[in-house]
């Protein structure tokens, strides 16, 4: 009867209201019993009643989340109780909120403000589970952990979990403008509806806070580092205060990006010189005004003297002078200043990879004790792969905060499946060798190496107004992984992927295994089809969409592709050895020696550090040109493989999400092919070498690829 | 136990996935039985089986919608059947799709392509209900009508309904840019995700088509009239074609706004002169290319020589020359050109209200027969109230298409509750008197007055990426009302409001009556607190947010407020009488005579046509100044009344939608007060008169109101 099956499918896919549209993220709380009735029964045995206080907003948030979660997972939430008169009580709180927990005298020392323990105990002769912490927020984190156990179908009969975060500030940086444009945003507009704030509080703000608290994120910078001074006007401060009020119960403090020239732009002063007394007074008054509206305001994030932003150097002052100006203003309120190290001179033609190090290392020890310097994972700019930033390990007296980019500016926007856990992990596990073998970037960031008093990790958010928050379902995993790694920088990105896949898609092993497998290789695939073997910064100009290895000219050499790949008929790659820009010497000696030698440089960084002839022999035995083509091609092949794997999951994933992922994978394959073909067509004009046998030539001419224009690609700055 | 009840409420409001978030619009298909079990039983008696074909995409859409609707309304969809062997069959189709309907020989003559009938009949000895049409699309419209009967809980036992649209083109104009910014959009970004098209087809596109088909909208202009030439490049045409493919089963044809200078910008020509043979050839080839991708492409909408847009006058040609150029290109394909009359000269200092008439009336009869001229409802620009545009009735040889603005550029953006049905109705029922008393604007638009071969009505869409589509729940009613009035320009806006309220909120009389009552007075309230007694164009510069009666200077006098209100110590208002700009003489003689005399001018248009002293005696007996203050104040009072009414509906409306509307009404009251106070503070500097007794003075000084800045107000062009 039905000949128009395709149409019908399309129409059925339009049934939205009850469909899985990704809005719930990893907090879906799907019934356990449907797949695992025995497990569900066991969970109910261990959650017969719920004993928790509701005297503070955070306690209410904790109780509500547990009720909501258990109702979803088990069909009904346990009844509230005041005492453990039956087996199976779930007891949540702190010694001060719960007399029961006080009586248990659990070892909460060392857990700090945010840590928690989850233990199977006996209370008044009854088996019980206790989620205990020193402060409310720890109990909330513990509650999310407990729910995660059920979501991932772990046993809960004999629990002895003890968790505390390894970093203090676990922060999202939103590059959101007041007009709701998100710089490098691929998930719609800003979720902050600035125009309607503070009067209308979108329920989504609460869901944002829930999601972040569930992975331990405790700070958010609301606005773009390319900041508007308007952000600091009274009207906009009131809007930020309304958001801070929503986030507060979830342990999330609000920070703002500050525009260094605000004293001139909105203060009516003639200068923003950090040593000018009027300027210092203006910032002090402005900070007092902010704290009056937001008593737990976190502080400022500042991008100064970078890419056209104003800063202390405009007045002949240093980054330290600038940071200390703001640090002095927030200090009486307990605030922090986070100063970005992503700077490169407007004048110096030196290798851009060297400039942050050159500018900041001399300032080590010159910052106030409430200043942190925020350093991108690599020295260029969030490329698909970069060696770790040489600043890590090089500023022992200055707390360095890691800055990762969760939004995929350089990794295919929203439609390419690229799980960034391995990228984050690779950087965190990189060995700086500043003291001995095994002094990792993670140990710098968590403060253990240099004894930093302040520690933190920031991620440039991939969150927007799209229904699924992150632009694609799989991009939610990058938000998730960032939070989990900020909590514990030594976590395994594979474990995180599995945890996320179970909560987001299914606990069915037939789903978890292939999904995790797809994810784990996905970022390497992007490296392969975009910038293999250490190539970098080869994307389209401005919007960074698609390949642009031919990009040259314009205002700055280091905003072109040719500056970075340096391809000629003789070879390809950026010589950063001691014979070249000498960027290698910014690393600790053993690392520098390694990167200085092409034979010892890990092949994934080969052309980052070396300019090599097209016939250079790579570890595979193939000449460099052939090896490049092999990598480009295997990147495309990997995407094709993901499509096949995903197609095989039809019926095990809800149709709406399955369809969107399938459509995006098709886009990814098309664009991976485009990257490969355009790159090969371009570089072949230099290598003058044939493709290896069996490798297909580009589908179009180089002229064709160069002619493509995308003036409306999203996220442009 | 719960002391933090406010917090809990906030947290509960964050339960989103199953909440009523407005996504389903008026197609919620809520169970009838919950409130009216007897009625539900009766509906089931009349829908025992469903007999419908599914051989075409439109037939599938019809069948799917009926199944979805009946499942929601009645708990389960009736079984499909091939014959009426039991009582209660619901038979849907056309004589050619359904042998049963063919046998019934119903009088479908006169229904045209899009009309339908719904009748209770006897088929093979069994009671049945038939939805019959000449073409598939008519049957789809009939199915939506049938579902509406159930949604509004009407009896269906003895149906004899016959409906056909009174206008041919019922069109939404999207002012959406390729970067997803929506000019004058207050509901997020464009729902067209241009970047991911054509490869990713958002299921939302189908829901957009369903919603439009449900109210008879059959055309959509995808892009802004301030058009980018890029829209006509092959890559973007492919994206438009993908949308056209989604909309086609729902009877919706795609149109594009064309940039007149495209032959230069993307065609490489030196000129866009409409009489140049190369230009004519370029458009012909471009049109052929579009039709190859979109065989049922509707045609072009053009804004030319208006507000900086290029046009034929750049080459010394007329609007007719420009329109005919494109008309000749689309003619072989059956396309239409819609040429906007919203023009005003860059040079002429004449009253802007007169300029469209002055430019277009001399061209009457000079357009090809596939050209329509699209005329805004009033001569200025979508103000809260304008007298009908004098072009209506003045171009008997040129089909005039009505252009309403659904998005509330001048009526409070998304947060002011302003039901526009009465605005649309007021214009459509206005009496042009061009032939005799009772020749209404509706009769011009539906073609009956002048015998137009083409007819249509366009609405500038208020649709965006916000979950609730329109930025607020009540703004959905404006989309709905536009569609219903385009189908039948003589409909009652009150009937439409009731129908919408029943489907959108509840059939409970305790909801319907107060909601309709709020809606019906809401637009008048906006007129009162913004621009009473015929005042107009007094909003903030650029973004049009908030009051700006003091706006002066800048590039053009007619982009200021002082140009329009002309307040001095002597009086206020724009003299458009024969002693002033003589705009009145553009109306038919009896109308002109009426508007020329302040005593005979309807008081709501008083200051539109007359400059009057502050002590002019109004119909209430109060002097003009006092009357203005009374109107400003009653506007605010009305909003306060809506808040009270709405608060009384708590518990009868789902919490999520109730909370959002309540928050928006609070914003509206604040902003209504702001409009009133700022306007009074400003005009009092001229009137020099005290406020009437009992009327509160403005809360702030005029300086304060003038100091407010909103550089990031949404929707700016």
């Amino acid at each position: 009867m039905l000949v128009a099956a395709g149409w019908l499918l399309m129409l059925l896919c339009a049934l939205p209201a009850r469909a899985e549209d990704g809005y719930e993220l990893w907090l879906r709380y799907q019934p356990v019993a449907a797949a695992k009735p025995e497990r569900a029964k066991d969970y109910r045995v261990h959650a017969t009643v719920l004993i928790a206080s509701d005297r503070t907003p955070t306690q209410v948030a904790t109780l509500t989340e547990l009720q909501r979660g258990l109702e979803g997972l088990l069909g009904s939430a346990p009844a509230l109780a005041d005492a453990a008169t039956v087996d199976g009580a779930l007891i949540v709180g702190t010694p001060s909120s719960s007399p029961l927990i006080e009586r248990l005298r659990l070892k909460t020392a060392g857990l700090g403000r945010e840590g928690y323990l989850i233990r199977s105990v006996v209370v008044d002769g009854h088996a019980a589970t206790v989620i205990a912490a020193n402060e409310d927020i720890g109990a909330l984190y513990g509650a999310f952990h407990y729910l995660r156990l059920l979501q991932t179908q772990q046993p809960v009969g004999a629990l002895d979990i003890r968790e505390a975060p390894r970093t203090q500030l676990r922060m999202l940086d939103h590059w959101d403008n007041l007009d709701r444009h998100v710089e490098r945003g691929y998930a719609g507009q800003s979720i902050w509806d600035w125009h309607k704030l503070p009067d209308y509080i979108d329920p989504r703000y609460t869901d944002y806070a829930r999601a972040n608290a569930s992975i331990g994120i405790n700070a958010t910078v609301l606005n773009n580092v390319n900041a508007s001074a308007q952000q600091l006007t009274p009207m906009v401060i009131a809007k930020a205060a309304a958001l801070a009020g929503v986030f507060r119960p979830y342990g999330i403090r609000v920070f703002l990006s500050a525009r260094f020239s605000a004293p001139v732009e909105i203060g009516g002063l003639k200068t923003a010189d950090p040593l000018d007394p009027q300027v210092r007074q203006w910032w002090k008054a402005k900070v007092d005004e902010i704290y009056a509206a937001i008593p737990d305001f976190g502080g400022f994030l500042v991008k100064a003297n970078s890419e056209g932003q104003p800063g202390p150097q405009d007045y002949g002052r240093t980054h330290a002078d600038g940071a200390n100006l703001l640090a002095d203003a927030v200090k009486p309120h307990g605030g922090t200043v986070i100063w970005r190290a992503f700077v490169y001179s407007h004048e110096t033609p030196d290798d851009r990879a060297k400039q942050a190090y050159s500018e900041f290392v001399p300032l080590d020890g010159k910052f106030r004790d409430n200043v942190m310097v925020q350093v991108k994972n690599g020295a260029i700019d969030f490329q698909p792969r970069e060696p770790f930033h040489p600043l890590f390990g090089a500023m022992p007296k200055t707390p360095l905060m890691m800055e990762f980019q969760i939004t995929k500016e350089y990794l295919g926007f929203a439609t390419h499946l690229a799980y960034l856990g391995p990228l984050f992990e690779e950087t965190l596990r990189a060995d700086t060798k500043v003291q001995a073998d095994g002094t990792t970037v993670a140990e710098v960031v968590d403060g253990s190496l240099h004894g930093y008093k302040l520690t933190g990790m920031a991620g440039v958010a991939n969150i927007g107004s799209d229904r699924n928050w992150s632009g694609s379902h799989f991009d939610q995993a990058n938000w998730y992984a960032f939070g989990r790694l900020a909590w514990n920088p030594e976590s395994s990105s594979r474990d995180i992927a599995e945890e996320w896949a179970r909560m987001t898609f299914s606990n069915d092993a037939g789903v978890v295994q292939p999904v995790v497998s797809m994810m784990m290789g996905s970022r390497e695939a992007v490296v392969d089809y975009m910038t293999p073997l250490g190539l970098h910064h080869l994307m389209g100009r401005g919007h960074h969409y698609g390949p642009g290895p031919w990009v040259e000219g314009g205002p700055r050499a280091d905003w072109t592709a040719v500056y970075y790949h340096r391809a000629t008929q003789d070879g390809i790659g950026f010589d950063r050895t001691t014979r070249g820009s000498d960027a290698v010497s910014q690393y600790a000696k053993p690392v520098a020696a390694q990167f200085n030698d092409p034979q010892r440089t890990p092949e994934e960084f080969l052309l980052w550090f070396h300019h090599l002839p097209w016939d250079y022999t790579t570890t595979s035995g193939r000449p460099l040109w052939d090896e490049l083509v092999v990598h480009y091609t295997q990147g495309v092949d990997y995407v094709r493989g993901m499509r096949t794997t995903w197609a095989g999951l039809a019926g095990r994933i809800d149709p709406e999400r399955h369809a969107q992922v399938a459509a995006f994978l098709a886009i990814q394959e098309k664009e991976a092919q485009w990257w490969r073909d355009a790159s090969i067509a371009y570089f072949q004009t230099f290598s003058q070498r044939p493709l290896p046998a069996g490798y297909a030539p580009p589908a179009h001419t180089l002229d064709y690829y160069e002619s493509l224009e995308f003036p409306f690609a999203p996220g442009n700055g």
Side-chain angles (χ1 to χ4, degrees), chain A:
Chain A
M1 187 175 181
L2 273 173
V3 297
W7 282 105
L8 190 62
L9 186 67
M10 197 186 83
L11 293 161
L12 289 173
C13 285
L15 295 165
R18 299 293 176 262
E20 291 261 15
D21 56 20
Y23 182 84
E24 294 179 301
L25 296 161
W26 48 86
L27 301 175
R28 290 164 57 251
Y29 301 136
Q30 290 297 294
V32 178
K36 299 253 183 175
E38 287 307 311
R39 184 55 42 105
K41 208 167 149 190
D42 185 55
Y43 288 159
R44 275 191 291 267
V45 166
H46 291 96
T48 53
V49 294
L50 183 53
I51 304 179
S53 178
D54 57 4
R55 285 191 305 271
T56 69
T58 300
Q59 289 168 11
V60 173
T62 306
L63 177 58
T64 309
E65 194 70 31
L66 282 168
Q67 290 176 313
R68 173 191 188 128
L70 294 172
E71 181 173 337
L73 289 157
L74 307 181
S76 62
L80 291 174
D82 289 320
T85 55
V86 292
D87 279 354
L90 180 61
I91 308 166
V92 188
T94 67
S96 67
S97 77
S98 163
L100 259 178
I101 289 177
E102 193 187 18
R103 270 205 281 134
L104 285 169
R105 301 206 174 280
L106 299 159
K107 288 189 184 132
T108 58
L111 291 176
R113 248 180 44 73
E114 300 181 310
Y116 56 85
L117 49 78
I118 308 178
R119 283 184 56 190
S120 303
V121 294
V122 173
V123 180
D124 299 337
H126 292 288
T129 306
V130 64
I131 303 173
N134 291 314
E135 307 230 357
D136 285 350
I137 184 63
L140 176 62
Y141 288 155
F144 276 114
H145 189 134
Y146 177 82
L147 289 168
R148 189 161 60 233
L149 295 174
L150 274 60
Q151 289 176 277
T152 55
Q153 299 184 355
Q154 307 303 305
V156 297
L159 295 174
D160 188 7
I161 292 166
R162 194 180 167 83
E163 279 272 347
R166 292 266 301 273
T167 60
Q168 295 160 25
L169 274 180
R170 304 174 299 279
M171 172 183 277
L172 290 182
D173 291 359
H174 288 267
W175 287 359
D176 294 13
N177 296 343
L178 286 167
D179 65 0
R180 297 189 75 176
H181 177 71
V182 181
E183 185 168 332
R184 311 309 172 184
Y186 312 103
Q189 293 182 294
S190 172
I191 57 168
W192 319 135
D193 189 346
W194 292 112
H195 181 68
K196 299 196 190 84
L197 282 166
D199 300 297
Y200 175 60
I201 306 293
D202 191 328
R204 187 163 193 163
Y205 304 147
T206 305
D207 289 323
Y208 167 89
R210 291 176 51 236
N212 279 317
S214 78
I215 51 176
I217 287 171
N218 66 358
T220 180
V221 186
L222 299 178
N223 63 313
N224 194 349
V225 289
N226 292 321
S228 162
Q230 293 282 335
Q231 188 76 41
L232 302 178
T233 58
M235 204 180 279
V236 185
I237 290 170
K239 296 170 189 282
L243 291 173
V246 176
F247 303 158
R248 192 168 291 118
Y250 293 91
I252 298 167
R253 289 168 78 190
V254 158
F255 287 66
L256 293 175
S257 291
R259 184 163 165 92
F260 198 78
S261 52
V264 176
E265 288 157 347
I266 60 168
L269 300 189
K270 294 227 159 39
T271 179
D273 182 347
L275 303 191
D276 182 283
Q278 278 192 297
V279 170
R280 299 183 67 79
Q281 178 53 39
W282 186 87
W283 278 110
K284 188 186 173 310
K286 179 54 68 182
V287 163
D288 292 347
E289 178 191 344
I290 295 172
Y291 275 95
I294 310 173
D296 58 350
F297 178 62
F300 293 120
L301 173 65
V302 187
K303 174 178 181 178
N305 292 120
S306 169
E307 299 183 323
Q309 291 298 310
Q313 295 177 344
D314 302 347
Y315 306 96
R317 314 302 183 189
T318 69
H319 283 294
D321 294 328
N324 292 343
L325 161 74
L326 299 177
D328 290 342
V330 300
K331 176 82 177 175
H333 304 281
T336 305
V337 169
I338 300 165
W339 199 265
R340 288 175 95 231
F342 178 66
V343 298
Y344 49 93
S345 163
H346 269 280
E347 294 79 26
T348 321
D350 200 5
D351 179 3
R352 178 166 136 191
K354 293 167 62 181
Q355 297 189 22
Y357 183 101
S358 304
E359 287 203 43
F360 276 85
V361 167
L363 299 175
D364 193 25
K366 303 207 169 144
F367 293 97
R368 298 281 187 274
D369 65 2
N370 59 330
V371 173
M372 305 182 74
V373 170
Q374 186 167 298
V375 182
K376 292 189 181 183
N377 57 294
I380 295 296
D381 192 12
F382 298 137
Q383 297 303 296
R385 168 169 280 125
E386 301 197 26
F388 71 92
H389 201 298
L391 275 173
F392 291 110
M395 295 188 72
K397 300 178 192 160
T398 308
L400 298 187
M401 187 160 171
M402 172 64 76
E403 179 176 334
F404 284 124
Q405 192 178 46
I406 308 171
T407 187
K408 302 210 310 302
E409 174 179 0
Y410 297 102
L411 286 104
F413 296 8
T415 49
H416 292 212
L417 197 168
Y419 172 53
L420 302 182
L423 187 161
F424 303 155
E425 185 178 22
E426 177 178 304
T427 305
L428 291 165
R429 297 197 177 181
D431 191 349
T432 68
K433 305 198 182 181
V434 291
Q435 290 184 1
D437 274 14
T439 48
T440 63
V441 171
E443 289 167 89
V444 176
V445 170
D446 72 11
S448 57
L449 185 63
H450 301 306
Y452 292 156
K453 294 278 187 301
L454 302 174
T455 59
M457 202 185 291
V460 180
N462 66 350
I463 296 165
S465 62
D466 275 7
R467 182 69 181 163
N468 66 19
W469 299 85
S470 300
S472 79
H473 299 295
F474 274 94
D475 277 320
Q476 297 177 354
N478 295 326
W479 176 10
Y480 186 85
F482 168 76
R484 300 289 282 145
L485 279 160
W487 181 275
N488 180 0
E490 295 190 345
S491 304
S492 143
S493 66
R494 176 180 292 274
D495 291 350
I496 293 170
E498 176 172 335
E499 194 176 89
W500 174 83
R502 285 175 173 274
M503 295 192 288
T504 302
F505 287 120
S506 170
N507 280 289
D508 174 356
V511 172
V512 175
Q513 189 279 329
V515 164
V516 170
S517 164
M518 284 168 63
M519 290 169 73
M520 289 308 293
S522 58
R523 174 262 191 156
E524 197 64 40
V526 174
V527 172
D528 276 338
Y529 62 71
M530 288 187 182
T531 49
L533 298 179
L535 290 173
H536 50 288
H537 210 281
L538 305 184
M539 59 294 150
R541 194 196 296 271
H543 49 59
H544 300 168
Y545 175 63
W550 47 78
V551 168
E552 60 183 342
R556 298 180 57 100
D558 57 354
W559 287 357
T560 69
V562 296
Y563 174 87
Y564 293 99
H565 65 66
R566 309 209 165 187
T568 63
Q569 296 203 5
D570 298 328
I572 182 171
F574 197 130
D575 184 355
R576 293 191 168 107
T577 69
T578 49
R579 293 163 305 281
S581 79
D582 197 25
V584 294
S585 297
Q586 295 184 333
Y587 290 99
K589 281 215 168 58
V591 176
Q594 192 186 0
F595 289 163
N596 202 44
D597 177 356
Q599 298 295 325
R600 293 181 57 207
T601 300
E603 200 158 272
E604 65 263 31
F605 297 131
L606 196 61
L607 302 177
W608 187 281
F609 290 113
H610 304 282
H611 185 84
L612 297 170
W614 294 106
D615 61 358
Y616 174 85
T617 304
T618 62
T619 52
S620 67
R622 283 187 286 262
L624 176 58
W625 165 251
D626 288 23
E627 188 68 14
L628 279 169
V629 174
V630 168
H631 275 275
Y632 281 124
T633 307
Q634 78 193 18
V636 182
D637 289 344
Y638 190 90
V639 178
R640 202 170 289 126
M642 289 200 291
R643 289 189 69 184
T644 306
T645 304
W646 189 255
L649 295 174
R652 291 172 183 249
I653 309 267
D654 52 283
E656 189 177 13
R657 291 191 296 171
H658 191 273
Q660 189 184 79
V661 172
F664 285 9
L665 285 170
I667 293 173
Q668 184 176 9
E669 186 186 339
K670 192 165 88 171
E671 295 187 352
Q673 189 74 49
W674 169 36
W675 265 96
R676 173 207 184 267
D677 287 357
S679 302
I680 289 176
Y682 174 75
F683 288 124
Q684 200 170 25
T685 65
F686 299 101
S687 79
Q688 305 279 345
R689 296 168 73 95
L691 296 189
Y695 285 79
H700 301 275
T701 64
L702 178 57
D703 281 351
Y704 167 81
Y705 295 114
E706 293 198 31
S707 76
L708 298 177
E709 288 183 23
F710 304 92
F712 303 105
N716 215 338

